[in-house]
């Protein structure tokens, strides 16, 4: 099949469905596909009768194979979503990420939308503007696991023909929570738009995009997303007062303020801030 004729997904699996982003997306994607199968370690709250939930631990390949069986596409949000000790990151994001892509290959899944994170590039300085071609610069073990996920995604796309969209999500909330988030914020509607591009775009093969709204203070060149038709409607600056209010409640973070990843960079930081970071 030529790239231009690839059909959009009909049966979709959402991993990490009980988490914050999973809960938002589950609502936004409702009714958009013939089947939306939800999965997580624990059942999501308020599961409707019309919703299908299948429990699975991502570290268990046999369990992951069961949840991917029969779907056309996967939105992979599952795993650890903040910095944690290596054992937890390794189990859920490294082993879990591998299991997810490998199960997708074995079951001939066509597409994966991978929830990557801004923390894969968190150690770039805030006075730089980076595109998706910049080398990864993780700011945490968590960020490393997201860079690993992007690499896995590229391998499965290039070698096995999977169509993959990696979204380096900034921070998805109704309103940006502080000054750093004015640069990286994405509204739930804009994130849903990007996810649907990943599930439906006819000529997608492998792409990394930034999961950010139309933010005046953005640090990212999101041309790759725009080429795929992304038209964000949210603007962080419309919520400036809310962000400043949130900022006023935060402790000072002079190291974090230098880098895109903020507190993920200053946590455990032992380097020279003048010479470290990209
Ligand atoms: C992330 O990747 C996390 O999942 C989320 O909890 C926030 O910390 C976000 O990044 C952020 O950078 O604000």
């Amino acid at each position: 099949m030529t790239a231009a004729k690839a059909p959009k997904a009909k049966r979709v699996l959402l991993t990490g469905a009980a988490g914050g982003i999973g809960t938002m997306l589950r609502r936004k994607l409702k009714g958009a596909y013939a089947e939306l199968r939800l999965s997580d370690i624990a059942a999501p709250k308020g599961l409707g009768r019309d919703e299908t939930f299948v429990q699975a631990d991502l570290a268990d390949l046999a369990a992951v194979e069961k949840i991917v069986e029969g779907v056309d596409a996967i939105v992979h949000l599952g795993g650890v979503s903040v910095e944690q000790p290596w054992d937890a990151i390794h189990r859920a994001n490294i082993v879990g990420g591998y299991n997810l892509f490998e199960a997708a290959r074995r079951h001939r899944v066509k597409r994966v939308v991978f929830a990557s994170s801004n923390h894969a590039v968190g150690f770039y300085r805030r006075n730089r503007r980076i595109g998706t071609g910049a080398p990864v610069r993780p700011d945490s073990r968590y960020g490393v696991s997201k860079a690993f996920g992007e690499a896995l995604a590229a391998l499965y796309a290039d070698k096995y023909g999977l169509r993959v969209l990696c979204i380096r999500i900034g921070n998805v909330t109704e309103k940006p929570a502080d000054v750093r988030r004015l640069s990286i914020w994405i509204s739930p509607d804009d994130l849903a738009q990007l996810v649907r591009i990943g599930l439906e775009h006819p000529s997608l093969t492998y792409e990394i995009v930034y999961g950010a709204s139309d933010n005046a203070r953005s640090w990212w060149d999101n041309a790759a997303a725009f080429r795929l038709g992304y038209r964000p409607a949210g603007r962080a600056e419309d919520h400036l007062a809310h962000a400043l209010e949130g900022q006023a409640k935060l402790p000072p973070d002079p190291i974090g303020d230098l880098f895109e990843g903020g507190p993920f960079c200053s946590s455990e930081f032992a380097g020279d801030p003048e010479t470290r970071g990209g």
Side-chain angles (χ1 to χ4, degrees):
M1 180 174 296
T2 62
K5 284 187 189 153
K8 70 179 204 178
K10 293 194 182 74
R11 293 157 301 172
V12 177
L13 167 70
L14 188 66
T15 70
I21 300 183
T23 304
M24 277 174 209
L25 275 182
R26 172 181 147 213
R27 296 189 182 127
K28 302 270 173 215
L29 299 181
K30 201 166 190 164
Y33 301 97
E35 181 187 344
L36 184 62
R37 189 182 300 172
L38 310 176
S39 184
D40 210 311
I41 298 183
K45 288 197 185 99
L47 202 63
R49 283 189 175 189
D50 57 339
E51 292 185 299
T52 319
F53 171 73
V54 196
Q55 192 275 343
D57 178 350
L58 290 169
D60 176 351
L61 178 58
V64 179
E65 282 205 60
K66 278 195 192 130
I67 59 170
V68 308
E69 204 174 344
V71 299
D72 302 306
I74 302 167
V75 180
H76 182 43
L77 308 173
V80 167
S81 64
V82 287
E83 180 65 319
Q84 281 200 13
W86 178 245
D87 281 356
I89 299 276
H90 178 257
R91 189 171 196 282
N93 293 13
I94 305 290
V95 176
Y98 174 79
N99 288 347
L100 191 281
F101 279 96
E102 178 57 16
R105 181 189 73 79
R106 292 185 189 180
H107 290 269
R108 299 180 199 288
V109 175
K110 309 277 185 312
R111 293 172 183 260
V112 172
V113 176
F114 172 60
S116 184
S117 167
N118 70 91
H119 297 290
V121 288
F123 256 123
Y124 281 101
R125 287 181 179 269
R126 294 188 185 187
N127 58 9
R128 280 194 63 180
R129 187 174 172 82
I130 54 164
T132 47
V136 291
R137 209 87 194 215
D139 57 21
S140 48
R141 294 173 287 278
Y142 165 67
V144 168
S145 77
K146 291 298 180 180
F148 171 81
E150 292 181 0
L152 259 183
L155 173 67
Y156 278 79
D158 290 336
K159 184 160 278 191
Y160 304 115
L162 204 65
R163 296 173 187 275
V164 191
L165 184 68
C166 297
I167 308 176
R168 285 182 183 162
I169 301 174
N171 187 230
V172 49
T173 46
E174 291 299 332
K175 295 175 182 180
D178 52 37
V179 168
R180 175 174 162 267
R181 266 61 170 262
L182 288 169
S183 298
I184 67 164
W185 176 72
I186 183 166
S187 73
D189 279 337
D190 286 345
L191 181 64
Q193 189 192 145
L194 275 177
V195 168
R196 293 196 63 163
I197 287 172
L199 295 174
E200 299 175 22
H201 196 288
S203 56
L204 171 74
T205 53
Y206 173 77
E207 204 74 60
I208 298 175
V209 296
Y210 285 103
S213 282
D214 182 14
N215 303 331
R217 306 183 192 208
S218 178
W219 300 312
W220 305 324
D221 173 357
N222 215 5
F226 299 137
R227 269 198 306 278
L228 292 171
Y230 178 51
R231 299 291 176 266
R235 288 184 196 174
E237 232 51 35
D238 291 350
H239 310 286
L240 179 61
H242 180 84
L244 293 178
E245 217 175 280
Q247 185 67 33
K249 294 178 191 145
L250 294 179
D253 185 4
I255 301 290
D257 287 349
L258 295 172
F259 305 108
E260 295 185 5
F264 284 66
C265 298
S266 49
S267 164
E268 303 174 31
F269 186 83
D272 172 5
E274 294 298 320
T275 59
R276 301 298 158 150

